[in-house]
Amino acid sequence: MELLQNDLLLRAARGEKTERVPVWMMRQAGRILAEYRAVREKAGSFIQLATTPELAAEVTIQPVDLLGVDAAIIFSDILVVPEAMGLPYEMEEKRGPVFPKVVKSMADIDQLRIADPEADLGYVLNAIRIVKKELNGRVPLIGFAGAPFTIFCYMTEGKGSKTFSVAKKALYADPEFSHKLLQKITDSTILYLKAQIAAGANLVQIFDSWAGILSPTQYREYSLPYIKQICDAITEVPVTVFAKGAFFARKEIGELSCEVVGLDWNMDIEESRQLIPTKTLQGNLDPCVLYSSFNQIEKEVRKMLDAFGNQRYIANLGHGVYPDTDPDKVRCFINAVKSY
Ligand code: CP3
């Protein structure tokens, strides 16, 4: 067994007693730190950075050193899975990710492969191995993947969207196509997460960023069953499910074989505790609170911690930190949790 100097996150995830609340931030690696932008500059592009294990490892560890978070999250992206299946992406400045080719037909699905983690995603696994060595047990490392439905959105739509109406149309028009693609993504994701764990990830988080665009009925048919397969398959380390916007599915998510449920800021804390009585909760400060004054941030953090309580809880934002957030405001958030 690995000995960690700071295992607050893992103890909280497993429902064990913690002397203080652990804290980290979604999207902490990258975006907000000048030190990140310097490394990204050196790499030349986001994809270059993400596929160069030494540099990916460096920006993974930056928030631990510079912000004092209680966990590192491996620097990568959820879109490396479609790429490993045979559907490459580009990262356009300002516009975000774009897939030059999208999946439209059964024949397109047959063209895709189930990702082989060592062969197709070895650069992520190598980055994890370097991070583990360099962290030397200081804090746990979080691995991650997109939920199959969120990955399905990008593979069918080809780019970001407010509505993902192309992806949703496929669900209504062609359930057979949709289930077939979702299953292929799920099979790839399970192998990938298991490989991340074998390489050293101490906990894995599933990001269902677009859960909130589905109706409860569609969520039950097209997202939950695939997240369930992943949760059932991952028995090695704790699993966190973060389904942004899926307030309507909290009870069912709470019944999955995961250890932690992530909440966004629209989800009432007391109500969530009642709906998910047996799991650790993570979240859920509005990222926009970090635009307010130091005093206001401390006040909002105290309010949040009063509501969650200090056990079976991991402090975080309700979604990723916004790129234009002042790092000193981030430090204020982290220190306010630590000194609660
Ligand atoms: O959390 C971390 O710090 C680890 C790294 C991480 C990235 N992306 C790096 C990244 C993680 C966990 C992700 C997850 C991710 N990627 C999600 C799920 C989480 C969420 O925010 O909902 C989604 C939907 C994506 C897809 C994606 N990648 C988009 C839409 C974009 C463009 C806009 C944006 O969010 O910045 C990316 C690019 C991306 N992924 C960047 C980073 C640091 C910015 C690119 C750059 O630095 O040039």
Side-chain angles (χ1 to χ4, degrees), residues 69-115:
V69 285
D70 292 310
I73 178 163
I74 189 67
F75 183 81
S76 184
D77 200 85
I78 61 169
L79 302 177
V80 300
V81 166
E83 167 147 282
M85 294 172 71
L87 200 75
Y89 69 100
E90 292 161 7
M91 200 61 86
E92 286 183 7
E93 212 60 53
K94 302 241 147 61
R95 240 183 110 201
V98 177
F99 286 87
K101 264 185 17 203
V102 294
V103 183
K104 285 188 177 144
S105 65
M106 286 291 198
D108 290 344
I109 301 177
D110 290 332
Q111 291 284 307
L112 299 170
R113 57 182 180 272
I114 291 173

Side-chain angles (χ1 to χ4, degrees), residues 59-223:
V59 297
T60 298
I61 297 173
Q62 281 176 347
V64 178
D65 293 332
L66 300 169
L67 302 172
V69 285
D70 292 310
I73 178 163
I74 189 67
F75 183 81
S76 184
D77 200 85
I78 61 169
L79 302 177
V80 300
V81 166
E83 167 147 282
M85 294 172 71
L87 200 75
Y89 69 100
E90 292 161 7
M91 200 61 86
E92 286 183 7
E93 212 60 53
K94 302 241 147 61
R95 240 183 110 201
V98 177
F99 286 87
K101 264 185 17 203
V102 294
V103 183
K104 285 188 177 144
S105 65
M106 286 291 198
D108 290 344
I109 301 177
D110 290 332
Q111 291 284 307
L112 299 170
R113 57 182 180 272
I114 291 173
D116 172 343
E118 282 297 342
D120 302 317
L121 293 157
Y123 60 91
V124 182
L125 305 178
N126 285 335
I128 291 177
R129 293 178 186 115
I130 297 170
V131 169
K132 290 299 289 186
K133 217 165 120 203
E134 290 183 358
L135 274 180
N136 196 20
R138 274 185 291 159
V139 291
L141 175 64
I142 300 169
F144 70 90
F149 171 67
T150 286
I151 298 299
F152 175 96
C153 283
Y154 287 101
M155 290 178 84
T156 53
E157 190 99 19
K159 55 188 186 319
S161 162
K162 282 205 175 88
T163 55
F164 278 101
S165 46
V166 174
K168 284 180 74 180
K169 181 184 163 199
L171 302 185
Y172 285 112
D174 201 343
E176 200 193 332
F177 163 90
S178 302
H179 281 300
K180 187 173 160 127
L181 179 54
L182 285 162
Q183 190 58 53
K184 210 157 188 175
I185 298 167
T186 303
D187 294 343
S188 300
T189 303
I190 290 171
L191 293 176
Y192 178 45
L193 287 174
K194 283 191 176 279
Q196 290 186 45
I197 295 162
N202 300 104
L203 175 152
V204 293
Q205 174 156 328
I206 301 165
F207 285 93
D208 204 355
S209 303
W210 296 107
I213 66 173
L214 293 179
S215 70
T217 315
Q218 279 195 316
Y219 196 72
R220 268 175 218 124
E221 177 166 0
Y222 292 108
S223 191

Side-chain angles (χ1 to χ4, degrees), residues 26-74:
M26 292 187 275
R27 311 299 294 272
Q28 69 187 17
R31 290 183 144 188
I32 54 165
L33 293 170
E35 291 83 351
Y36 163 77
R37 290 192 292 273
V39 179
R40 193 185 173 290
E41 198 75 27
K42 192 165 81 182
S45 70
F46 171 80
I47 290 182
Q48 271 296 325
L49 174 52
T51 53
T52 308
E54 292 73 21
L55 297 181
E58 184 180 347
V59 297
T60 298
I61 297 173
Q62 281 176 347
V64 178
D65 293 332
L66 300 169
L67 302 172
V69 285
D70 292 310
I73 178 163
I74 189 67

